[in-house]
Amino acid sequence: MSKSIYELVDNLPKRNITTMVLNSLDFVVPGEWKNPTNFEQMIRDISQETDEQWIQKIGDRAVWLYNDKNQGYQRALWLYQTVDSADYALGAAALANKVGEKIGFLGFLNKLTPSNQKAQALDLAIKLVVEVVAFCQINGLPGDSIGDFVKALKEYEGEALMRMAALVCIDGLIPFGPDFILAVKSTLDNLSPKELSDNGAFSKVSKFIPGGNPAGQLAFVNRSFGAVTGWMTGFVGDRNLTQDKVMKNLQSFVEFSNDQLDYVAAFLDMSTNYFEHTGTQSIANRLIRRAMLEV
């Protein structure tokens, strides 16, 4: 039996590498992300309810909605988990005992290879497509509703906004610098359908990606990325984000020099699961808000 939504939230770590990385990005979206790790407290915070019976009813309805296989919540969570697990498992165990001290980076260099630019660009594009498809699942929309997603993206807040901020910073600015949109576009423009379907992360999530076959799915990836480039350009410009600013904030807990950027990208892929972590919180948030309307 899969875990209930309240177990999933209650089991989220309060402090690990992922939360430290996300906290270092607070300067990008100040105060948007509080790392909720208690489902009942989330209900209280979102509903502003104090009546215990009412809180219980909202919780019960949220759990029921999550468990209903006809809804898309479990599929969305699976997508968030799966796109992260592709690169997470390698370093998690090695890093677990390092939390709480500043992590010396050099000890990990022998476990890492520098991030391959093509693989890194594809990683960003696939995560973005997973965000589009998960959004559609959570909101009961057809999986190819890119226009609805782009509209909603302008209203993103809280956990969802933090997830997109991390995507821009960790998977965009750190490995590629200010030209990350061009780098990803260039990779996608030169990618064959077979290269896409051979990608480990994509092959795991491909059954939920619209398009019908690898060529159609590659076209969907291209359309999704193209539709969001305006938002990403605005996000970086409005906040005056640079690779340097992101790195300086990360250096508050990871020691590295700027000539190790390729390794930093690989290190963050290996040691964080920010899509799963914030995705769980986003799904819980959506469930609670819907349950409030239905009880």
Side-chain angles (χ1 to χ4, degrees):
M1 173 72 181
S2 58
K3 286 182 176 166
S4 70
I5 187 61
Y6 67 82
E7 287 176 293
L8 289 162
V9 174
D10 289 357
N11 289 338
L12 287 173
K14 290 182 173 64
R15 182 172 163 81
N16 68 352
I17 305 290
T18 298
T19 66
M20 289 160 80
V21 168
L22 292 175
N23 279 321
S24 82
L25 296 177
D26 181 71
F27 80 101
V28 181
V29 284
E32 285 286 341
W33 184 71
K34 305 278 196 283
N35 193 28
T37 56
N38 180 302
F39 188 67
E40 188 180 318
Q41 190 58 46
M42 277 188 87
I43 297 173
R44 293 174 191 277
D45 292 343
I46 292 167
S47 69
Q48 297 292 299
E49 274 292 339
T50 52
D51 184 313
E52 294 298 329
Q53 270 188 315
W54 199 245
I55 290 164
Q56 181 72 44
K57 276 184 178 169
I58 294 170
D60 289 347
R61 181 63 183 167
V63 168
W64 187 90
L65 286 166
Y66 179 77
N67 290 342
D68 180 0
K69 294 282 200 297
N70 294 319
Q71 312 287 332
Y73 301 107
Q74 290 188 39
R75 288 188 291 278
L77 183 65
W78 182 88
L79 283 163
Y80 284 136
Q81 290 172 333
T82 305
V83 79
D84 257 335
S85 67
D87 51 25
Y88 175 64
L90 175 66
L95 289 164
N97 60 359
K98 287 294 212 174
V99 174
E101 54 185 283
K102 203 168 190 188
I103 295 162
F105 190 66
L106 293 170
F108 289 97
L109 287 182
N110 61 355
K111 296 188 178 73
L112 295 172
T113 50
S115 69
N116 168 317
Q117 294 261 307
K118 187 181 208 174
Q120 194 75 39
L122 206 45
D123 186 42
L124 189 158
I126 291 166
K127 278 181 178 155
L128 179 65
V129 165
V130 160
E131 181 67 21
V132 174
V133 176
F135 167 83
C136 293
Q137 292 282 355
I138 290 166
N139 291 285
L141 296 165
D144 56 356
S145 305
I146 297 172
D148 289 315
F149 170 73
V150 173
K151 274 193 212 122
L153 185 54
K154 294 172 185 151
E155 309 296 321
Y156 262 30
E157 58 185 10
E159 302 83 24
L161 186 58
M162 176 52 90
R163 184 167 55 258
M164 291 302 288
L167 182 68
V168 167
C169 293
I170 293 170
D171 292 292
L173 285 168
I174 288 175
F176 298 111
D179 295 331
F180 73 93
I181 291 172
L182 290 174
V184 176
K185 187 175 183 325
S186 168
T187 295
L188 292 177
D189 285 347
N190 292 293
L191 200 70
S192 71
K194 184 177 186 316
E195 284 176 298
L196 179 66
S197 55
D198 286 348
N199 175 277
F202 185 82
S203 65
K204 286 181 179 173
V205 299
S206 63
K207 63 183 175 184
F208 288 118
I209 307 300
N213 57 38
Q217 290 174 314
L218 179 56
F220 180 78
V221 173
N222 266 301
R223 280 207 316 282
S224 298
F225 185 74
V228 177
T229 53
W231 180 87
M232 288 195 288
T233 304
F235 187 84
V236 171
D238 293 346
R239 289 161 173 76
N240 198 17
L241 293 179
T242 62
Q243 185 185 56
D244 198 42
K245 280 184 187 170
V246 175
M247 299 308 281
K248 276 202 171 73
N249 279 274
L250 275 177
Q251 279 168 320
S252 61
F253 73 92
V254 184
E255 291 167 0
F256 54 82
S257 61
N258 282 351
D259 60 355
Q260 297 172 325
L261 292 186
D262 282 353
Y263 287 99
V264 174
F267 167 81
L268 291 172
D269 275 347
M270 183 186 93
S271 58
T272 64
N273 64 332
Y274 74 86
F275 247 65
E276 176 182 2
H277 190 102
T278 62
T280 303
Q281 293 167 334
S282 285
I283 289 166
N285 190 321
R286 182 80 185 88
L287 282 163
I288 290 165
R289 289 181 189 283
R290 180 171 165 190
M292 283 163 54
L293 299 173
E294 295 183 7
V295 296

